[in-house]
Amino acid sequence: MTAVVARPSSVDLEPSLGAQTWEMSKRAIIALARQPALVVPSLVFPLFFLALGSSSFARAINLPGFPEVDSYLDFGVAGAIMQGVLFGSVTGAAALATDIENGFFDRLIASPVARPSIIVGRLAGAMAFGAAQTVFFLVVLLPFGLNVEGGVLGGLVLVASGTLISLCVGALMSMMALRTGSSEAVQGAFPLLFILLFFSSAFFPRQTMQGVYGDLAGYNPVSYIIEGMRDIVIDGVSAWAVVRAVLIPAALCVFTVLLAMRSMNKRLARG
Amino acid sequence: MSIDSTTRTTKSGSGHKPRSVAFTALWPSSVGLGMRNVRNIRRLPSAFLPSLLMPIIQAVAFSGTFFAVTQIPGFPTDRSINWYLPLGVILGCGFAGIGVGFTTVRDIESGFYDRLRMTPVPRLALITGPTLGALIRALVVTTTVFLVGLLIGARLTDGMLGLLMLYVASLGVATLGTFWGLALAYRFRDMRGAAIMQLTFFLALFLSDAQTPLSVMEGWLHGVARVNPFTNILRLGRQGFLGDVTWANTWGGLVAIAAICALTLWFAVASLNRLRD
């Protein structure tokens, strides 16, 4: 005789991995929306710097090495998107570190929530913010004379690029959050991102740089992503521009997400 | 309670008080508080290092990124580092001053400041002491960033007089940064003030000829930078890297530093007097 034991209804109602991830993503997005003080700087500062640059470097676009471009605004928008997304990605990862610091992460681990959804949810929040930032920059700058030669399709490619960059950097910063468990350490990565941004062609073309500085900008993948985005703004959508603006960050994402998942597993193994 | 009333109260009731308490003077109190600020460099290097590293990174990054900007007709130097080094120094010294505001917020939050205000230290020493500390920090920042700048190609065009002008500008900015940081720390008493200190200083500095000279600018920034006193301060500090030191390039910066220091000192004293238990 075989006894049939009914499973508790709570187990039957356990949400799927997708549903759990969605809930975690929603939490990450709502947390960002509820703390404007953390979000606003990564929206305002890139615009401020671009406004400064448009006035300060208006005559620089005629220098040898600059592409043919109508204004510094068109030239600099790709750098502004990169700047905003880089600095915005730190915010999401710092929130993960705060979860670890205040014990919420441990309570999540103690609950029957699927482990990947914790990190994937957080990264999805970062991606949503990256996409929103890119749309925000484009919408705000259009009335000031921004001309995206790639049109709507070009705008969509830029949003895809911004989303992937935020995933890439968000995963990298999440790895740091999981390893250190310190929001201060994550915030401390800010100078690293500053260097990554400034030692690239974010604000001036690589062709105008010389010596070691030019070499470093040449090794920096950020330069190529920005140049792909810039080509979409200045010249329109092309296969080569899409490869640099979308495929390079996509390839980097594979690497950084794997690193983040590995750090997550290590933290879980440590208990 | 005014600044003088603390001192008067102490003196009037000093019949049986130890001499050292009854006659605590401004200068030794200031030196004591200033040295406490300097000792924090060793005790809390993580709070000081950013104000030292940031101007170095900024000067290197700007001079490298905007290397070609010197080719714009009318640009006053052919070395980008000569243009961006003084900016880095002044930015770093401003943040060295504002850092005093951060420390004060922490002291207020931890209750240390209340204990400090109960001592017979003249009230003014609570401002002049940290300012002395900030000036020492600013000397370290200016010297270090200048030496790094020399290594990567910066050159003085009017010898030691030009360097002296850089020190005058940087110490002036450190002083006004300290007064501003202290005033906001007394007003807000928490880290909200820290964000405002940084943001306002950053905006004031970059809404000037920080990135390119007025003659090269176009559009809205030109109008703002022309009336921004920080343009004069930068001109004062930069002149020794762009040509000869002249009185025409000097007096505007001195007046700007004196005026902003007077205003921010008044604001700091008024805010300190409003600080109640």
Side-chain angles (χ1 to χ4, degrees):
Chain A
M1 185 187 247
T2 308
V4 178
V5 180
R7 296 177 73 196
S9 59
S10 62
V11 175
D12 289 337
L13 293 175
E14 191 175 283
S16 65
L17 176 64
Q20 289 181 28
T21 306
W22 171 240
E23 289 302 322
M24 297 302 291
S25 308
K26 268 201 313 191
R27 177 178 175 268
I29 294 166
I30 291 169
L32 282 174
R34 282 181 180 162
Q35 298 180 81
L38 297 178
V39 170
V40 168
S42 64
L43 292 173
V44 172
F45 269 95
L47 290 177
F48 175 68
F49 270 110
L50 186 56
L52 284 182
S54 296
S55 202
S56 297
F57 303 122
R59 294 187 194 174
I61 58 172
N62 299 318
L63 292 173
F66 261 82
E68 273 193 35
V69 61
D70 293 335
S71 66
Y72 187 84
L73 184 68
D74 288 352
F75 178 85
V77 67
I81 292 172
M82 178 63 82
Q83 187 183 1
V85 169
L86 280 182
F87 296 158
S89 303
V90 176
T91 308
L96 174 62
T98 305
D99 280 352
I100 295 170
E101 281 173 340
N102 64 22
F104 182 78
F105 184 83
D106 289 335
R107 295 203 295 279
L108 270 181
I109 296 299
S111 71
V113 70
R115 303 304 186 243
S117 71
I118 298 173
I119 188 83
V120 174
R122 184 61 72 179
L123 294 178
M127 288 170 74
F129 184 50
Q133 278 179 302
T134 312
V135 171
F136 176 78
F137 292 139
L138 294 177
V139 169
V140 168
L141 293 172
L142 280 173
F144 290 94
L146 174 68
N147 176 37
V148 180
E149 203 61 41
V152 175
L153 179 62
L156 289 174
V157 175
L158 291 175
V159 173
S161 183
T163 309
L164 285 167
I165 297 164
S166 60
L167 171 62
C168 179
V169 182
L172 197 66
M173 292 294 117
S174 297
M175 180 200 77
M176 195 176 276
L178 288 161
R179 286 201 173 179
T180 62
S182 157
S183 57
E184 206 172 16
V186 176
Q187 297 283 3
F190 182 84
L192 196 70
L193 296 179
F194 183 88
I195 291 170
L196 205 61
L197 184 71
F198 268 90
F199 284 73
S200 77
S201 55
F203 303 106
F204 261 44
R206 272 187 296 139
Q207 290 78 1
T208 63
M209 299 172 192
Q210 289 196 346
V212 178
Y213 200 93
D215 294 340
L216 287 174
Y219 295 129
N220 187 348
V222 170
S223 293
Y224 298 94
I225 299 170
I226 286 173
E227 286 162 15
M229 295 165 84
R230 183 172 290 147
D231 282 357
I232 289 165
V233 175
I234 297 174
D235 298 325
V237 179
S238 67
W240 178 227
V242 173
V243 164
R244 285 175 295 164
V246 177
L247 292 188
I248 292 179
L252 290 172
C253 281
V254 175
F255 180 63
T256 56
V257 170
L258 282 174
L259 282 177
M261 298 302 280
R262 190 159 169 257
S263 299
M264 173 85 173
N265 290 335
K266 276 190 176 177
R267 176 163 277 277
L268 292 175
R270 280 208 306 266
Chain B
M1 182 186 283
S2 73
I3 285 171
D4 290 339
S5 66
T6 310
T7 318
R8 271 202 303 273
T9 306
T10 307
K11 284 180 179 175
S12 63
S14 63
H16 301 288
K17 285 186 177 174
R19 186 180 170 82
S20 60
V21 173
F23 293 98
T24 306
L26 179 64
W27 176 247
S29 309
S30 301
V31 171
L33 288 168
M35 289 316 292
R36 174 178 178 261
N37 191 281
V38 172
R39 272 194 290 274
N40 275 343
I41 295 176
R42 186 169 50 82
R43 288 178 182 163
L44 201 61
S46 60
F48 174 67
L49 278 179
S51 70
L52 183 63
L53 293 179
M54 192 178 63
I56 294 174
I57 293 172
Q58 189 264 331
V60 172
F62 273 41
S63 59
T65 288
F66 305 128
F67 178 81
V69 81
T70 57
Q71 295 170 26
I72 298 175
F75 207 90
T77 176
D78 58 357
R79 290 173 183 264
S80 58
I81 185 68
N82 273 18
W83 183 259
Y84 292 111
L85 176 72
L87 172 66
V89 167
I90 285 172
L91 185 73
C93 289
F95 276 99
I98 284 171
V100 170
F102 296 175
T103 313
T104 305
V105 167
R106 202 167 52 233
D107 286 345
I108 290 172
E109 286 181 334
S110 68
F112 177 79
Y113 221 74
D114 288 336
R115 297 201 294 278
L116 199 59
R117 287 193 303 135
M118 287 170 68
T119 63
V121 169
R123 280 289 178 96
L124 192 57
L126 299 181
I127 294 172
T128 52
T131 306
L132 277 179
L135 289 175
I136 294 170
R137 285 171 179 235
L139 280 173
V140 175
V141 170
T142 307
T143 307
T144 309
V145 181
F146 173 70
L147 291 175
V148 172
L150 282 185
L151 287 176
I152 59 173
R155 293 292 176 268
L156 285 164
T157 51
D158 200 6
M160 295 311 285
L161 190 58
L163 184 59
L164 178 67
M165 293 299 114
L166 179 66
Y167 273 96
V168 170
S170 61
L171 295 181
V173 170
T175 307
L176 65 89
T178 307
F179 294 159
W180 181 239
L182 285 171
L184 291 176
Y186 298 146
R187 290 270 163 174
F188 287 94
R189 303 175 205 181
D190 58 32
M191 278 300 167
R192 281 176 306 158
I196 298 173
M197 288 169 210
Q198 293 184 84
L199 192 64
T200 46
F201 177 72
F202 195 80
L203 287 178
L205 187 60
F206 274 88
L207 288 173
S208 68
D209 66 346
Q211 297 192 101
T212 52
L214 286 173
S215 59
V216 168
M217 279 179 206
E218 285 181 4
W220 67 276
L221 183 59
H222 184 272
V224 177
R226 204 167 55 82
V227 295
N228 184 346
F230 274 88
T231 298
N232 287 340
I233 298 173
L234 281 167
R235 188 183 298 131
L236 167 70
R238 271 178 177 147
Q239 58 181 321
F241 293 85
L242 304 176
D244 292 337
V245 174
T246 63
W247 178 242
N249 286 331
T250 304
W251 72 266
L254 295 178
V255 169
I257 288 171
I260 301 175
C261 280
L263 282 172
T264 48
L265 176 61
W266 168 79
F267 185 35
V269 171
S271 303
L272 176 59
N273 285 336
R274 275 179 47 152
L275 204 60
R276 300 277 185 228
D277 294 330

